[in-house]
Amino acid sequence: MDPYSIFADIIAGRAPASRVYEDDDVLAFMDIRPLTPGHLLVVPKIPARDLGELDPEIGGKLFKVAQRLAAALRASEVACDGVNFFLADGVTAGQEVFHVHLHVIPRTPGDGFGLRARPRTPPRADLDYLAGSIRGALDRGPR
């Protein structure tokens, strides 16, 4: 099955999913390969391959729904102590399914999941230079 069509089939009801939340714009369901128990995916019903294609209003709604789901995870039998949100945008960022989706990952002590990186502290001049470059790109708008 084409990974892009997986979410389309779930949204349309042609593929099984353990649905948790649904409205006119967004669907949330259990991830079939959870990183921790209770791991959810929140997807827009209108497909967008990446954040550049996603309507900003719907993007905001994804996070609003995820915030509600995080509270529900804490209050449910999952009883997590924390929640990570993760969204991969592009292959280099780890995106494997090309339909925007926000992971809502419940966290408990010792659950084995975590971000592994070695942060570095660059000189302030480097940070200022990149900040200027990003501000300039914001001013020019999307490509």
Side-chain angles (χ1 to χ4, degrees), residues 16-17 29-34 39 41:
F29 53 93
M30 303 298 297
D31 191 314
I32 61 169
R33 294 178 52 211
H39 180 166
L41 298 175

Side-chain angles (χ1 to χ4, degrees), residues 6 8 10 20 24 33 44 46 62 69 71 73 78 85 92 96 103 106 126 131-133 137 139-140 142:
I6 292 170
I10 289 171
V20 174
D24 291 341
R33 294 178 52 211
I46 295 174
L62 286 180
L69 291 169
L73 285 165
V78 173
F85 291 173
T92 303
E96 295 175 348
H103 294 259
D126 291 356
S133 175
D139 293 342
R140 288 188 301 275

Side-chain angles (χ1 to χ4, degrees), residues 3-23:
Y4 184 69
S5 69
I6 292 170
F7 291 164
D9 287 343
I10 289 171
I11 291 165
R14 294 186 300 266
S18 298
R19 294 168 182 249
V20 174
Y21 174 87
E22 184 169 10
D23 64 28

